[in-house]
Amino acid sequence: MTDHLQARQSDVTVDVPLHVDRAGALPVVQQVSTQLRAAILKGQLRPGTRLPSTRTLARVLGISRGAVVTAYDDLLAAGYLVGRVGAGTYVSPELPPTPAVSSGAPPLEGRPRWLRGPLVTPDVAPSRTDEAVIDFRVGQPTVAKLSDAAWKRAWRRVAEEALPGAYADAAGDPELRAEIAAYLRRSRGVVCDPDDVLVTSGAIQGLHLVARAVLAPGDVAAFEDPGYRLARQVLRERGARILPIPVDADGLRVTELPTGPDAPPLVYTTPSHQFPLGSRLSLPRRHALLAWARTQDSLIVEDDYDGEFRYDAAPLPALASLDPARVVYLGTFSKVLSPALRVGYVVAPHVLRERLAALKTIADYHTSWPVQRVLTHFLRSGDLERHLGRMRRLYARKREVLVRELDGARPVARVGGLEAGFHVHLELDGRLSAAEVARWAEERGVRVSVLSPFYAAGSAPDGLVLGYGGLEPAQMVQGARVLVEVMNSLAAAAAS
Ligand SMILES: Cc1ncc(COP(=O)(O)O)c(C=O)c1O
């Protein structure tokens, strides 16, 4: 029921529309208190205004007097109202006068003094969800194949646990850290104790913490080129100067890392599956990189974002398993489960551990406790590894089909980066422009990423990056066929 809060008192008239919906999602008490508070804040109810009695308002709105008393009590407790229920209730005269601002009007003229610097836009692909488009979005896993029963079972276990009344451990839930340590040993050969693991809100937060702990503004950070743009932006935001290091079929070109006084204190790399080109850092280069870090006294950040997914290629040892004193290992549940979980982990050299935990507290105390607990149960039950097994088989099949389809565009386009993960790199020959292919494909309802924005340095080769994790196989085939047609017709047009 809607009515006007209308009471003709000796000194003031109150006229504020109130609306109570008994079937609404909010309890009636909350509906009344929220609307009164909004009216006070907007200046519709001025300081000192007397409110109608609870009895009157209850009658007018057709609700119980008790509900109005509780709403008034809430606003009294919050300081919006003063007085005693029964002896007159007033809008607090202490509230600062609120200018009547018409909604939609800009609240401030010009740029306020505290609004500093330009808007920093995140260096990520915009998340567009237009159904009509087949989107070869990079970095998106398949979540549809997650066992509903297993996932719900893990959450039910969490629901049975008592919610802690205090902040939890900054480094992460001890049981989850133990599960992650055991998992890393089994799956990645990284030998570490639970105490070595710090749970973070995604790998990207792990990098934030490391950058904060290790770099001072103005320091140089070596970064593979092309590379993961958001990680590069994190280092830049810390004030680091990025030194792009080229990548080839064997991964980061280690010999291009400066030595001596110019050696950067930190190098970031994705050795299991170079992002975005897809190559793996060869074993000799792994050893060379570690030797460089040892002689230059530098730190390697190993971003192992999708190292769990490897196909018909022998696993190469994680850098962290070869020299844990020189390597910060960043892991994540974003690819094995979902990026929406926002859970990752860091395994850092001992000297960094305490600093990272302190920085984690400063950042957000710790990662959400229930989410950490659900992962603990999911790992402990073996459900994560069962899911991973299914996903590996699924991605392997999808990858095979995708490669077969894209083969139709040879020789103008060559697929690379196939040994791991769930994205591939499409190298285009001189006849094709990546931007043009992407534009024509988009016209026909297929979205792909152009390679050049992943580069920090000068000229970039023409190429595309295709993520296939999140696409249904049939969609993927349809999208690949369109792409092949586009590439072949552009190549034919260029030749004629
Ligand atoms: C190379 C690389 N590292 C890290 C991440 C992000 O991981 P998280 O979601 O755990 O922050 C991504 C996400 O796409 C990535 O591609």
Side-chain angles (χ1 to χ4, degrees), residues 202-204 228 268 270 275 303 305 332 334-335 342:
I204 204 71
Y228 179 40
Y268 165 96
T270 47
F275 189 89
D303 182 353
Y305 64 107
T332 180
S334 287
K335 313 293 165 180
R342 304 312 307 131

Side-chain angles (χ1 to χ4, degrees), residues 367-389:
T367 296
S368 164
W369 178 86
V371 179
Q372 291 194 63
R373 292 300 298 161
V374 85
L375 287 174
T376 307
H377 295 301
F378 206 67
L379 273 148
R380 187 181 289 157
S381 60
D383 283 321
L384 180 79
E385 273 153 292
R386 273 189 286 280
H387 175 66
L388 261 173

Side-chain angles (χ1 to χ4, degrees), residues 426-488:
L426 207 51
E427 197 183 322
L428 306 182
D429 84 357
R431 277 168 285 178
L432 293 181
S433 132
E436 215 178 323
V437 174
R439 188 160 50 80
W440 280 104
E442 177 97 23
E443 291 266 312
R444 297 195 43 196
V446 175
R447 188 170 293 146
V448 292
S449 305
V450 173
L451 182 61
S452 53
F454 295 92
Y455 282 83
S459 67
D462 260 316
L464 299 170
V465 186
L466 273 59
Y468 56 90
L471 286 177
E472 288 295 323
Q475 271 184 315
M476 192 186 73
V477 168
Q478 197 188 332
R481 288 187 180 163
V482 168
L483 198 58
V484 166
E485 275 173 31
V486 167
M487 291 189 289
N488 285 338

Side-chain angles (χ1 to χ4, degrees), residues 170-171 198 209 352-362 365:
L198 173 89
L209 303 179
L352 265 183
R353 264 203 267 163
E354 209 179 324
R355 286 166 193 243
L356 293 178
L359 288 165
K360 173 70 179 165
T361 308
I362 295 168
Y365 280 108

Side-chain angles (χ1 to χ4, degrees), residues 153-162 369-371 373-374 377:
R153 196 162 50 237
W155 274 108
R156 272 198 300 275
R157 295 216 170 109
V158 181
E160 281 156 13
E161 296 178 350
W369 178 86
V371 179
R373 292 300 298 161
V374 85
H377 295 301

Side-chain angles (χ1 to χ4, degrees), residues 138-140 200-206 224 227-231 268 270 273-276 303-306 330-335 338-340 342-345 423:
V138 181
Q140 202 167 303
T200 59
S201 300
I204 204 71
Q205 189 188 44
E224 46 186 30
Y228 179 40
R229 290 183 286 166
L230 196 61
Y268 165 96
T270 47
H273 187 220
Q274 204 280 327
F275 189 89
D303 182 353
D304 200 18
Y305 64 107
D306 68 0
L330 301 181
T332 180
F333 289 99
S334 287
K335 313 293 165 180
S338 159
R342 304 312 307 131
V343 183
Y345 42 91
H423 70 260

